[in-house]
Amino acid sequence: MLQDDFKQILKEHGLKKTKQRVLVLEALASCEDKHLTAEEIYEIVKAEFPEIGLATVYRTIQLLLDLDLVESVQLGDGYVRYEIGKIGGKEAHNHHHLVCLECGKVMSFRDDLLDELEKRIKESVSFQVINHEVKIYGYCESCLNQGQERGIENEEPAEHLEVQFEKRK
C-alpha cells in the first residue's frame, strides 16, 4: 500500500517513481519508530542499492519533505532527523518526542493532547494552528533505574510556564 500511495502522489506532482525514491521512503518506513539522519538512511539504502550516492539521498529527502511525505525533526543533538509524514491521507504528526537526557534515546508519544489547546487558541486569539512540534526532555525508565541503583536522586521537574488566553471581544 505504501508504494501505491507513493506512486499516486508522485504522479499527481508530475514526478517519476524511481528506485532511489522508493528505497529512501521504504528505509524510513521500515524504521518507523526511529528518527534517522540522512547518513543513516544512506547506509540502509546503500545496502540494497550500492550505486546510490549520498547526494541522491539528500535530494530525495528534500523532495519527500516538499511533498509532505517525510518530516524533519531536530532533537537537540545537532542532527536533522527524518520520519515518515503523511501518506495516503494518514497524518503521522499526531505524536510528540520524548528525549532522554542521559542516553539520548528518543521515543514517540502517540497521544496528541494539544487539540483542546489549539481550539482555545483559535477561539481566544483568532489564530489557526496548522502544525506543532513538542519535544519533552527527561529520563527514560532504564536511565532512571540506573540512577536509583547509583543512589542518585531524580531531578526535580522544571518549573512550568502557565499561559492564559483571554477571550477576544
Side-chain angles (χ1 to χ4, degrees), residues 12-65:
E12 288 169 6
H13 287 86
L15 300 167
K16 293 181 181 176
K17 177 182 161 190
T18 66
K19 183 171 185 167
Q20 294 93 325
R21 291 172 180 168
V22 170
L23 288 172
V24 168
L25 191 65
E26 286 179 346
L28 284 161
S30 70
C31 299
E32 191 175 348
D33 287 338
K34 295 182 181 171
H35 304 83
L36 302 174
T37 65
E39 291 78 11
E40 290 168 333
I41 295 167
Y42 168 69
E43 291 300 325
I44 293 168
V45 173
K46 187 177 164 188
E48 188 170 332
F49 191 67
E51 309 81 66
I52 198 162
L54 182 57
T56 301
V57 171
Y58 273 106
R59 283 192 304 273
T60 302
I61 290 169
Q62 186 58 55
L63 173 70
L64 297 174
L65 284 166

Short mmCIF file of all heavy atoms in Angstrom, two decimals, residues 12-65:
data_model
loop_
_atom_site.label_atom_id
_atom_site.label_comp_id
_atom_site.label_asym_id
_atom_site.label_seq_id
_atom_site.Cartn_x
_atom_site.Cartn_y
_atom_site.Cartn_z
N GLU A 12 0.64 12.66 -9.28
CA GLU A 12 -0.11 13.91 -9.12
C GLU A 12 0.79 15.13 -9.24
O GLU A 12 0.33 16.20 -9.62
CB GLU A 12 -0.82 13.93 -7.77
CG GLU A 12 -1.99 12.99 -7.67
CD GLU A 12 -2.52 12.84 -6.24
OE1 GLU A 12 -2.03 13.55 -5.33
OE2 GLU A 12 -3.40 11.98 -6.05
N HIS A 13 2.06 14.98 -8.91
CA HIS A 13 3.01 16.09 -8.97
C HIS A 13 3.88 16.04 -10.23
O HIS A 13 4.85 16.78 -10.34
CB HIS A 13 3.89 16.10 -7.72
CG HIS A 13 3.17 16.54 -6.50
ND1 HIS A 13 2.43 15.67 -5.73
CD2 HIS A 13 3.03 17.77 -5.94
CE1 HIS A 13 1.89 16.34 -4.73
NE2 HIS A 13 2.23 17.61 -4.84
N GLY A 14 3.54 15.17 -11.16
CA GLY A 14 4.28 15.07 -12.42
C GLY A 14 5.68 14.52 -12.26
O GLY A 14 6.57 14.85 -13.05
N LEU A 15 5.89 13.68 -11.25
CA LEU A 15 7.21 13.11 -10.98
C LEU A 15 7.21 11.60 -11.23
O LEU A 15 6.19 10.94 -11.08
CB LEU A 15 7.59 13.39 -9.52
CG LEU A 15 7.68 14.86 -9.13
CD1 LEU A 15 7.74 15.00 -7.61
CD2 LEU A 15 8.88 15.52 -9.78
N LYS A 16 8.38 11.10 -11.57
CA LYS A 16 8.52 9.66 -11.82
C LYS A 16 8.80 8.91 -10.53
O LYS A 16 9.45 9.41 -9.61
CB LYS A 16 9.67 9.40 -12.79
CG LYS A 16 9.41 9.92 -14.17
CD LYS A 16 10.59 9.61 -15.07
CE LYS A 16 10.32 10.17 -16.46
NZ LYS A 16 11.48 9.97 -17.34
N LYS A 17 8.34 7.67 -10.50
CA LYS A 17 8.65 6.77 -9.38
C LYS A 17 9.97 6.09 -9.73
O LYS A 17 10.04 5.26 -10.61
CB LYS A 17 7.52 5.74 -9.23
CG LYS A 17 7.78 4.73 -8.16
CD LYS A 17 6.64 3.71 -8.11
CE LYS A 17 7.06 2.47 -7.38
NZ LYS A 17 6.10 1.39 -7.53
N THR A 18 11.03 6.48 -9.01
CA THR A 18 12.35 5.89 -9.26
C THR A 18 12.69 4.93 -8.14
O THR A 18 12.14 5.03 -7.03
CB THR A 18 13.44 6.98 -9.34
OG1 THR A 18 13.57 7.60 -8.06
CG2 THR A 18 13.11 8.02 -10.41
N LYS A 19 13.63 4.05 -8.44
CA LYS A 19 14.07 3.08 -7.44
C LYS A 19 14.65 3.78 -6.22
O LYS A 19 14.38 3.40 -5.08
CB LYS A 19 15.09 2.12 -8.05
CG LYS A 19 15.53 1.03 -7.09
CD LYS A 19 16.37 -0.02 -7.77
CE LYS A 19 16.67 -1.13 -6.78
NZ LYS A 19 17.20 -2.32 -7.43
N GLN A 20 15.43 4.84 -6.45
CA GLN A 20 16.06 5.57 -5.36
C GLN A 20 15.00 6.19 -4.43
O GLN A 20 15.11 6.11 -3.21
CB GLN A 20 16.96 6.69 -5.89
CG GLN A 20 18.17 6.18 -6.66
CD GLN A 20 17.91 6.09 -8.16
OE1 GLN A 20 16.80 5.77 -8.60
NE2 GLN A 20 18.94 6.34 -8.94
N ARG A 21 13.98 6.80 -5.02
CA ARG A 21 12.92 7.43 -4.22
C ARG A 21 12.18 6.40 -3.39
O ARG A 21 11.90 6.61 -2.21
CB ARG A 21 11.95 8.18 -5.14
CG ARG A 21 12.58 9.40 -5.77
CD ARG A 21 11.68 10.03 -6.81
NE ARG A 21 12.35 11.20 -7.37
CZ ARG A 21 11.95 11.84 -8.46
NH1 ARG A 21 10.86 11.45 -9.09
NH2 ARG A 21 12.62 12.88 -8.90
N VAL A 22 11.87 5.28 -4.01
CA VAL A 22 11.15 4.22 -3.31
C VAL A 22 12.00 3.66 -2.17
O VAL A 22 11.51 3.46 -1.06
CB VAL A 22 10.72 3.09 -4.28
CG1 VAL A 22 10.21 1.88 -3.52
CG2 VAL A 22 9.67 3.61 -5.25
N LEU A 23 13.29 3.43 -2.42
CA LEU A 23 14.16 2.87 -1.40
C LEU A 23 14.34 3.81 -0.21
O LEU A 23 14.37 3.36 0.95
CB LEU A 23 15.52 2.50 -1.99
CG LEU A 23 15.52 1.27 -2.92
CD1 LEU A 23 16.88 1.11 -3.60
CD2 LEU A 23 15.16 0.01 -2.15
N VAL A 24 14.45 5.10 -0.46
CA VAL A 24 14.57 6.06 0.65
C VAL A 24 13.29 6.04 1.48
O VAL A 24 13.34 5.98 2.71
CB VAL A 24 14.89 7.48 0.13
CG1 VAL A 24 14.72 8.51 1.23
CG2 VAL A 24 16.31 7.53 -0.44
N LEU A 25 12.15 6.07 0.81
CA LEU A 25 10.88 6.04 1.54
C LEU A 25 10.71 4.74 2.31
O LEU A 25 10.29 4.74 3.46
CB LEU A 25 9.72 6.24 0.57
CG LEU A 25 8.37 6.49 1.20
CD1 LEU A 25 8.37 7.81 1.95
CD2 LEU A 25 7.27 6.51 0.15
N GLU A 26 11.09 3.62 1.70
CA GLU A 26 10.98 2.33 2.38
C GLU A 26 11.94 2.24 3.57
O GLU A 26 11.60 1.65 4.60
CB GLU A 26 11.26 1.18 1.41
CG GLU A 26 10.10 0.94 0.45
CD GLU A 26 10.37 -0.19 -0.55
OE1 GLU A 26 11.55 -0.62 -0.69
OE2 GLU A 26 9.41 -0.62 -1.19
N ALA A 27 13.11 2.85 3.45
CA ALA A 27 14.06 2.86 4.58
C ALA A 27 13.43 3.57 5.78
O ALA A 27 13.51 3.09 6.91
CB ALA A 27 15.36 3.53 4.18
N LEU A 28 12.78 4.69 5.53
CA LEU A 28 12.12 5.42 6.61
C LEU A 28 10.93 4.63 7.16
O LEU A 28 10.72 4.58 8.36
CB LEU A 28 11.67 6.79 6.11
CG LEU A 28 12.80 7.80 5.98
CD1 LEU A 28 12.40 8.95 5.07
CD2 LEU A 28 13.21 8.30 7.34
N ALA A 29 10.17 4.03 6.28
CA ALA A 29 9.00 3.26 6.72
C ALA A 29 9.41 2.04 7.53
O ALA A 29 8.73 1.65 8.48
CB ALA A 29 8.16 2.85 5.52
N SER A 30 10.54 1.43 7.19
CA SER A 30 10.98 0.23 7.90
C SER A 30 11.54 0.56 9.29
O SER A 30 11.69 -0.32 10.12
CB SER A 30 12.03 -0.53 7.08
OG SER A 30 13.24 0.20 7.04
N CYS A 31 11.85 1.81 9.51
CA CYS A 31 12.39 2.26 10.80
C CYS A 31 11.45 3.28 11.40
O CYS A 31 11.87 4.33 11.89
CB CYS A 31 13.78 2.87 10.60
SG CYS A 31 14.99 1.73 9.93
N GLU A 32 10.16 2.98 11.39
CA GLU A 32 9.13 3.94 11.77
C GLU A 32 9.32 4.53 13.16
O GLU A 32 9.04 5.69 13.39
CB GLU A 32 7.75 3.28 11.68
CG GLU A 32 6.62 4.25 11.79
CD GLU A 32 5.28 3.60 11.57
OE1 GLU A 32 5.21 2.46 11.11
OE2 GLU A 32 4.28 4.26 11.90
N ASP A 33 9.83 3.76 14.10
CA ASP A 33 10.00 4.26 15.46
C ASP A 33 11.36 4.90 15.69
O ASP A 33 11.69 5.30 16.80
CB ASP A 33 9.77 3.15 16.48
CG ASP A 33 8.29 2.80 16.60
OD1 ASP A 33 7.44 3.65 16.25
OD2 ASP A 33 7.98 1.69 17.05
N LYS A 34 12.17 4.97 14.63
CA LYS A 34 13.47 5.60 14.74
C LYS A 34 13.43 6.93 14.00
O LYS A 34 12.57 7.16 13.16
CB LYS A 34 14.56 4.71 14.14
CG LYS A 34 14.74 3.42 14.90
CD LYS A 34 15.85 2.60 14.33
CE LYS A 34 15.98 1.30 15.10
NZ LYS A 34 16.90 0.38 14.46
N HIS A 35 14.33 7.78 14.33
CA HIS A 35 14.43 9.09 13.69
C HIS A 35 15.80 9.14 13.05
O HIS A 35 16.80 9.40 13.71
CB HIS A 35 14.21 10.19 14.73
CG HIS A 35 12.91 10.04 15.44
ND1 HIS A 35 12.74 9.19 16.51
CD2 HIS A 35 11.71 10.58 15.20
CE1 HIS A 35 11.48 9.24 16.91
NE2 HIS A 35 10.84 10.08 16.13
N LEU A 36 15.83 8.86 11.74
CA LEU A 36 17.09 8.63 11.04
C LEU A 36 17.70 9.90 10.48
O LEU A 36 16.98 10.78 10.00
CB LEU A 36 16.86 7.65 9.88
CG LEU A 36 16.28 6.28 10.24
CD1 LEU A 36 15.98 5.49 8.97
CD2 LEU A 36 17.24 5.52 11.12
N THR A 37 19.02 9.98 10.51
CA THR A 37 19.73 11.06 9.82
C THR A 37 19.83 10.69 8.35
O THR A 37 19.62 9.53 7.96
CB THR A 37 21.15 11.24 10.39
OG1 THR A 37 21.91 10.06 10.11
CG2 THR A 37 21.13 11.54 11.88
N ALA A 38 20.19 11.65 7.51
CA ALA A 38 20.36 11.38 6.08
C ALA A 38 21.44 10.31 5.88
O ALA A 38 21.30 9.43 5.02
CB ALA A 38 20.72 12.65 5.34
N GLU A 39 22.48 10.37 6.68
CA GLU A 39 23.57 9.39 6.56
C GLU A 39 23.10 7.98 6.92
O GLU A 39 23.51 7.00 6.30
CB GLU A 39 24.76 9.80 7.42
CG GLU A 39 25.50 11.03 6.93
CD GLU A 39 24.79 12.36 7.26
OE1 GLU A 39 23.81 12.36 8.06
OE2 GLU A 39 25.19 13.38 6.70
N GLU A 40 22.24 7.88 7.93
CA GLU A 40 21.70 6.57 8.31
C GLU A 40 20.78 6.02 7.22
O GLU A 40 20.81 4.83 6.91
CB GLU A 40 20.96 6.67 9.65
CG GLU A 40 21.88 6.91 10.83
CD GLU A 40 21.15 7.30 12.11
OE1 GLU A 40 20.05 7.87 12.04
OE2 GLU A 40 21.72 7.02 13.19
N ILE A 41 19.99 6.90 6.62
CA ILE A 41 19.13 6.49 5.50
C ILE A 41 20.01 6.02 4.35
O ILE A 41 19.74 4.97 3.74
CB ILE A 41 18.22 7.66 5.06
CG1 ILE A 41 17.25 8.03 6.18
CG2 ILE A 41 17.47 7.31 3.78
CD1 ILE A 41 16.53 9.35 5.97
N TYR A 42 21.06 6.76 4.08
CA TYR A 42 22.00 6.40 3.01
C TYR A 42 22.58 5.01 3.23
O TYR A 42 22.63 4.19 2.31
CB TYR A 42 23.12 7.45 2.95
CG TYR A 42 24.30 7.07 2.10
CD1 TYR A 42 24.18 6.98 0.71
CD2 TYR A 42 25.54 6.82 2.67
CE1 TYR A 42 25.28 6.64 -0.07
CE2 TYR A 42 26.63 6.49 1.91
CZ TYR A 42 26.50 6.40 0.53
OH TYR A 42 27.59 6.06 -0.24
N GLU A 43 23.01 4.70 4.45
CA GLU A 43 23.59 3.39 4.75
C GLU A 43 22.56 2.26 4.53
O GLU A 43 22.92 1.20 4.01
CB GLU A 43 24.13 3.34 6.18
CG GLU A 43 25.37 4.20 6.39
CD GLU A 43 26.56 3.80 5.52
OE1 GLU A 43 26.74 2.60 5.24
OE2 GLU A 43 27.29 4.72 5.10
N ILE A 44 21.32 2.49 4.90
CA ILE A 44 20.27 1.48 4.70
C ILE A 44 20.03 1.25 3.22
O ILE A 44 19.97 0.12 2.75
CB ILE A 44 18.97 1.90 5.42
CG1 ILE A 44 19.17 1.88 6.93
CG2 ILE A 44 17.80 0.99 5.00
CD1 ILE A 44 18.05 2.54 7.72
N VAL A 45 19.89 2.34 2.46
CA VAL A 45 19.61 2.23 1.02
C VAL A 45 20.80 1.64 0.28
O VAL A 45 20.65 0.80 -0.61
CB VAL A 45 19.22 3.61 0.44
CG1 VAL A 45 19.09 3.55 -1.07
CG2 VAL A 45 17.91 4.10 1.07
N LYS A 46 22.00 2.06 0.67
CA LYS A 46 23.23 1.59 0.02
C LYS A 46 23.38 0.07 0.13
O LYS A 46 23.92 -0.58 -0.77
CB LYS A 46 24.43 2.29 0.65
CG LYS A 46 25.74 2.02 -0.03
CD LYS A 46 26.83 2.83 0.65
CE LYS A 46 28.19 2.31 0.26
NZ LYS A 46 29.25 2.92 1.04
N ALA A 47 22.90 -0.51 1.21
CA ALA A 47 23.00 -1.97 1.38
C ALA A 47 22.21 -2.70 0.29
O ALA A 47 22.60 -3.79 -0.13
CB ALA A 47 22.46 -2.37 2.76
N GLU A 48 21.13 -2.10 -0.20
CA GLU A 48 20.32 -2.73 -1.25
C GLU A 48 20.65 -2.19 -2.64
O GLU A 48 20.45 -2.85 -3.64
CB GLU A 48 18.84 -2.51 -0.96
CG GLU A 48 17.93 -3.29 -1.89
CD GLU A 48 16.49 -3.26 -1.46
OE1 GLU A 48 16.22 -3.12 -0.26
OE2 GLU A 48 15.63 -3.39 -2.34
N PHE A 49 21.14 -0.97 -2.70
CA PHE A 49 21.40 -0.29 -3.97
C PHE A 49 22.75 0.42 -3.88
O PHE A 49 22.82 1.63 -3.67
CB PHE A 49 20.25 0.70 -4.23
CG PHE A 49 20.21 1.29 -5.61
CD1 PHE A 49 19.93 0.51 -6.73
CD2 PHE A 49 20.42 2.65 -5.79
CE1 PHE A 49 19.88 1.07 -7.99
CE2 PHE A 49 20.37 3.22 -7.05
CZ PHE A 49 20.09 2.42 -8.15
N PRO A 50 23.86 -0.35 -3.99
CA PRO A 50 25.21 0.19 -3.74
C PRO A 50 25.61 1.37 -4.62
O PRO A 50 26.48 2.15 -4.24
CB PRO A 50 26.14 -1.01 -4.02
CG PRO A 50 25.28 -2.21 -3.94
CD PRO A 50 23.89 -1.78 -4.32
N GLU A 51 24.95 1.52 -5.78
CA GLU A 51 25.31 2.62 -6.70
C GLU A 51 24.84 3.99 -6.22
O GLU A 51 25.26 5.01 -6.74
CB GLU A 51 24.69 2.41 -8.09
CG GLU A 51 24.89 1.09 -8.77
CD GLU A 51 23.94 0.00 -8.29
OE1 GLU A 51 22.72 0.10 -8.52
OE2 GLU A 51 24.43 -0.96 -7.69
N ILE A 52 23.94 4.02 -5.27
CA ILE A 52 23.37 5.29 -4.84
C ILE A 52 24.41 6.16 -4.15
O ILE A 52 25.30 5.66 -3.46
CB ILE A 52 22.14 5.09 -3.92
CG1 ILE A 52 21.31 6.38 -3.85
CG2 ILE A 52 22.55 4.62 -2.55
CD1 ILE A 52 19.91 6.19 -3.35
N GLY A 53 24.30 7.46 -4.38
CA GLY A 53 25.21 8.40 -3.73
C GLY A 53 24.51 9.16 -2.61
O GLY A 53 23.28 9.28 -2.60
N LEU A 54 25.30 9.68 -1.71
CA LEU A 54 24.74 10.44 -0.59
C LEU A 54 23.98 11.67 -1.09
O LEU A 54 22.93 12.02 -0.55
CB LEU A 54 25.86 10.84 0.38
CG LEU A 54 25.44 11.59 1.63
CD1 LEU A 54 24.42 10.80 2.45
CD2 LEU A 54 26.66 11.93 2.48
N ALA A 55 24.50 12.30 -2.15
CA ALA A 55 23.83 13.49 -2.71
C ALA A 55 22.43 13.12 -3.22
O ALA A 55 21.48 13.90 -3.05
CB ALA A 55 24.65 14.10 -3.82
N THR A 56 22.28 11.94 -3.81
CA THR A 56 20.97 11.49 -4.28
C THR A 56 20.02 11.30 -3.11
O THR A 56 18.84 11.65 -3.19
CB THR A 56 21.10 10.17 -5.08
OG1 THR A 56 21.97 10.40 -6.19
CG2 THR A 56 19.76 9.66 -5.56
N VAL A 57 20.52 10.77 -2.01
CA VAL A 57 19.69 10.59 -0.82
C VAL A 57 19.24 11.94 -0.30
O VAL A 57 18.06 12.14 0.01
CB VAL A 57 20.43 9.78 0.27
CG1 VAL A 57 19.66 9.78 1.58
CG2 VAL A 57 20.67 8.36 -0.21
N TYR A 58 20.14 12.91 -0.23
CA TYR A 58 19.77 14.25 0.23
C TYR A 58 18.72 14.88 -0.69
O TYR A 58 17.74 15.47 -0.21
CB TYR A 58 21.00 15.17 0.31
CG TYR A 58 21.72 15.09 1.62
CD1 TYR A 58 22.95 14.44 1.73
CD2 TYR A 58 21.19 15.68 2.77
CE1 TYR A 58 23.62 14.37 2.94
CE2 TYR A 58 21.86 15.61 3.98
CZ TYR A 58 23.07 14.96 4.06
OH TYR A 58 23.73 14.90 5.27
N ARG A 59 18.91 14.76 -2.01
CA ARG A 59 17.92 15.32 -2.95
C ARG A 59 16.57 14.63 -2.80
O ARG A 59 15.51 15.28 -2.85
CB ARG A 59 18.41 15.20 -4.39
CG ARG A 59 19.46 16.21 -4.79
CD ARG A 59 19.70 16.22 -6.29
NE ARG A 59 20.07 14.93 -6.83
CZ ARG A 59 21.33 14.46 -6.88
NH1 ARG A 59 22.33 15.19 -6.41
NH2 ARG A 59 21.58 13.28 -7.40
N THR A 60 16.59 13.33 -2.60
CA THR A 60 15.35 12.57 -2.45
C THR A 60 14.64 12.96 -1.16
O THR A 60 13.42 13.14 -1.15
CB THR A 60 15.65 11.05 -2.47
OG1 THR A 60 16.31 10.74 -3.71
CG2 THR A 60 14.38 10.24 -2.35
N ILE A 61 15.39 13.11 -0.09
CA ILE A 61 14.79 13.54 1.18
C ILE A 61 14.13 14.90 1.00
O ILE A 61 13.02 15.14 1.46
CB ILE A 61 15.84 13.57 2.31
CG1 ILE A 61 16.27 12.15 2.68
CG2 ILE A 61 15.30 14.31 3.53
CD1 ILE A 61 17.48 12.09 3.61
N GLN A 62 14.81 15.82 0.32
CA GLN A 62 14.24 17.15 0.11
C GLN A 62 12.95 17.07 -0.70
O GLN A 62 11.96 17.74 -0.38
CB GLN A 62 15.25 18.07 -0.61
CG GLN A 62 14.76 19.50 -0.72
CD GLN A 62 14.44 20.12 0.63
OE1 GLN A 62 15.28 20.14 1.52
NE2 GLN A 62 13.22 20.64 0.80
N LEU A 63 12.93 16.23 -1.71
CA LEU A 63 11.71 16.04 -2.50
C LEU A 63 10.59 15.49 -1.62
O LEU A 63 9.45 15.97 -1.66
CB LEU A 63 11.97 15.08 -3.67
CG LEU A 63 10.73 14.67 -4.46
CD1 LEU A 63 10.20 15.84 -5.27
CD2 LEU A 63 11.02 13.48 -5.34
N LEU A 64 10.90 14.50 -0.80
CA LEU A 64 9.90 13.90 0.09
C LEU A 64 9.41 14.90 1.13
O LEU A 64 8.23 14.89 1.49
CB LEU A 64 10.47 12.64 0.75
CG LEU A 64 10.84 11.50 -0.19
CD1 LEU A 64 11.53 10.38 0.57
CD2 LEU A 64 9.62 10.99 -0.93
N LEU A 65 10.30 15.78 1.59
CA LEU A 65 9.89 16.85 2.50
C LEU A 65 8.92 17.80 1.79
O LEU A 65 7.89 18.19 2.35
CB LEU A 65 11.10 17.64 2.99
CG LEU A 65 11.98 16.99 4.05
CD1 LEU A 65 13.31 17.73 4.17
CD2 LEU A 65 11.27 16.96 5.39
#
